[in-house]
């Protein structure tokens, strides 16, 4: 019997970020506010981590709500309708619920009829990981418009009586559209990703999953909040941020001097400063906005990209280096040319 199957060709092509949109809730939680809640002070927070304020959702707002707002701004910048989107990838560790996925909720609220999608959990490296997945879907020829969103409502899993963690985190969302690069454009160049599960005990939320389902005991023991070994995370982050970035630069024969800007995950200003120093990058090339937003986990890098644009420090054709380290441990670095 003759075969009638016709295999659709997949033509390799380059992928680029074609639009960006971000959103943070209007409510601001300052260091002065935290001084009234726990035993801490503004000087300690700014000296140790570099944060002055962070944005916090109102009661009833969830990750999908922030993600939709960021997505709307992204699509408006590109001038396309939600129905044009083919795939939605949401990087988050604070989904509205375990299921359905936040991507499903975003698709419905956004009105992106016909799109498919999923959530990606890689903590603070979530956006960088999701960015690569989106780019590969476009590069393969499978799709031409992929919406990648990094969004986290960290205030929902923070113990505001724990001064070691409550000062660090904020809420926010950022979205980018991934499309095929035009002739003469470069877009995404390369990436280096890594996980080290042996570090899982150093930064986690112990309960809420299949190992420790919600119970009176897990709630009483505060197991539904972020638990962190700050020293272990700090040491790993400084070492791996530099290793990953040096590897992706060396592999593509790019020197730090050739970079337009370095946009790292915003977890701790000391980690960023140490990484930049070891890479030999001047401060004017390093994007830092942790003072205004805190650590918004998967949202930090798109928020920092937006800051770079607003400050005129990110221009078309710039070589951009992204880097992140997160719970897991997860590590990610990406090199791209900015084409907007």
């Amino acid at each position: 019997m003759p075969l009638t199957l016709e295999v659709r060709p997949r033509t390799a092509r380059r992928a680029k970020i074609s639009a960006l949109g971000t959103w943070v809730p209007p409510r601001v939680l300052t260091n002065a506010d935290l001084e009234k809640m726990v035993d801490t002070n503004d000087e300690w927070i700014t000296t140790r981590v570099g944060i002055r304020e962070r944005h916090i959702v109102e009661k009833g707002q969830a990750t999908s709500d922030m993600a939709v707002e960021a997505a709307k701004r992204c699509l408006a910048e590109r001038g396309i309708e939600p129905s044009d989107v083919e795939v939605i990838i949401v990087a988050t560790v604070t989904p509205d619920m375990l299921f359905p996925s936040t991507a499903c909720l975003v698709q419905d609220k956004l009105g992106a009829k016909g799109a498919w999608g999923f959530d990606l959990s890689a903590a603070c490296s979530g956006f960088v990981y999701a960015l690569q997945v989106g780019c590969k879907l476009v590069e393969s020829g499978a799709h031409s418009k992929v919406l990648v969103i990094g969004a986290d409502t960290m205030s929902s899993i923070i113990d505001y009586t724990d001064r070691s963690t409550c000062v660090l985190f904020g809420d926010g969302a950022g979205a980018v559209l991934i499309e095929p690069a035009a002739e003469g454009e470069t877009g995404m160049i390369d990436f280096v990703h890594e996980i080290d599960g042996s570090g899982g005990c150093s930064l986690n939320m112990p309960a809420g999953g299949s190992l420790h389902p919600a119970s009176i005991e897990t709630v009483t023991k505060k197991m539904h909040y972020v638990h962190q070994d700050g020293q272990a995370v700090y040491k790993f982050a400084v070492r791996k941020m530099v290793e990953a970035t040096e590897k992706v630069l060396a592999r593509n024969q790019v020197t730090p001097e050739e970079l337009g800007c370095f946009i790292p995950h915003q977890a701790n200003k000391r980690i960023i400063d140490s990484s930049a120093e070891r890479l030999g990058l001047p401060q004017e090339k390093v994007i830092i906005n942790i003072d205004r937003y805190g650590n918004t986990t998967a949202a930090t890098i798109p928020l920092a990209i937006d800051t770079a644009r607003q400050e005129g420090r990110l221009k078309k054709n710039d070589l951009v280096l992204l880097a992140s380290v997160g719970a897991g441990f997860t590590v990610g670095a990406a090199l791209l040319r900015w084409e907007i």
Side-chain angles (χ1 to χ4, degrees):
M1 187 174 178
L3 291 175
T4 59
L5 174 66
E6 183 177 344
V7 180
R8 188 170 60 162
R10 287 285 183 262
T11 305
R13 57 190 180 181
R14 304 201 67 84
K16 68 173 182 179
I17 294 174
S18 62
L20 167 72
T22 62
W23 192 83
V24 293
R27 179 186 167 200
V28 174
L29 183 68
T30 67
N31 289 349
D33 295 326
L34 286 169
E35 287 177 357
K36 301 170 186 175
M37 299 164 62
V38 292
D39 182 16
T40 192
N41 59 73
D42 176 72
E43 182 183 4
W44 188 92
I45 299 170
T46 54
T47 301
R48 292 297 186 94
V49 293
I51 302 170
R52 298 189 180 278
E53 61 185 32
R54 65 288 289 153
H55 293 254
I56 305 295
V57 297
E58 297 292 348
K59 186 176 182 180
Q61 285 183 314
T63 296
S64 67
D65 298 311
M66 295 192 298
V68 167
E69 292 301 321
K72 286 179 178 177
R73 286 159 174 75
C74 177
L75 298 181
E77 177 175 292
R78 184 66 178 90
I80 65 172
E81 297 298 321
S83 56
D84 294 323
V85 175
E86 300 168 70
V87 186
I88 300 171
I89 306 172
V90 179
T92 186
V93 289
T94 54
D96 289 27
M97 56 196 80
L98 284 178
F99 63 89
S101 70
T102 304
C104 286
L105 304 178
V106 170
Q107 181 269 340
D108 182 53
K109 292 179 180 181
L110 193 60
K113 299 185 182 302
W116 70 282
F118 53 91
D119 289 359
L120 187 154
S121 178
C124 297
S125 300
F127 178 80
V128 178
Y129 283 20
L131 179 65
Q132 292 306 323
V133 175
C135 284
K136 294 309 174 187
L137 287 172
V138 170
E139 288 172 0
S140 72
H143 294 288
S144 293
K145 287 181 172 57
V146 178
L147 188 61
V148 172
I149 305 171
D152 271 302
T153 312
M154 293 304 295
S155 62
S156 67
I157 58 172
I158 295 300
D159 178 4
Y160 283 94
T161 66
D162 177 8
R163 67 175 184 174
S164 67
T165 58
C166 74
V167 303
L168 302 175
F169 297 95
D171 304 333
V176 296
L177 186 67
I178 309 299
E179 294 188 271
E183 186 176 351
E185 293 182 328
T186 302
M188 182 57 63
I189 298 170
D190 197 6
F191 70 97
V192 169
H193 291 170
E194 178 184 342
I195 61 172
D196 181 355
S198 67
C201 58
S202 298
L203 180 54
N204 59 33
M205 188 180 78
S210 60
L211 179 61
H212 298 293
S215 66
I216 292 174
E217 182 183 14
T218 63
V219 172
T220 302
K221 291 183 176 180
K222 297 186 176 183
M223 294 171 67
H224 296 270
Y225 293 129
V226 170
H227 290 245
Q228 174 174 273
D229 178 346
Q231 278 297 104
V233 173
Y234 181 88
K235 290 177 181 178
F236 184 87
V238 170
R239 177 169 61 88
K240 298 306 291 190
M241 185 95 77
V242 173
E243 283 184 13
T245 51
E246 286 182 333
K247 186 174 182 179
V248 77
L249 290 176
R251 196 157 71 186
N252 293 278
Q253 299 181 326
V254 173
T255 65
E257 292 76 19
E258 294 175 286
L259 293 173
C261 58
F262 173 48
I263 304 179
H265 166 58
Q266 309 286 306
N268 183 315
K269 188 175 182 296
R270 290 191 300 162
I271 293 175
I272 297 171
D273 288 342
S274 177
S275 299
E277 182 180 355
R278 290 174 65 178
L279 288 168
L281 285 169
Q283 283 300 311
E284 57 267 23
K285 288 191 176 184
V286 183
I287 307 303
I288 301 176
N289 65 2
I290 190 173
D291 56 313
R292 287 162 274 176
Y293 300 109
N295 182 352
T296 55
T297 307
T300 68
I301 287 180
L303 285 171
I305 295 174
D306 200 22
T307 293
R309 289 206 306 181
Q310 292 174 16
E311 295 178 353
R313 299 165 66 191
L314 176 59
K315 302 176 180 63
K316 184 175 173 61
N317 294 323
D318 275 353
L319 278 176
V320 179
L321 179 63
L322 310 178
S324 61
V325 173
F329 287 123
T330 62
V331 181
L335 180 67
L336 60 95
R337 192 173 292 282
W338 190 250
E339 302 291 1
I340 302 176

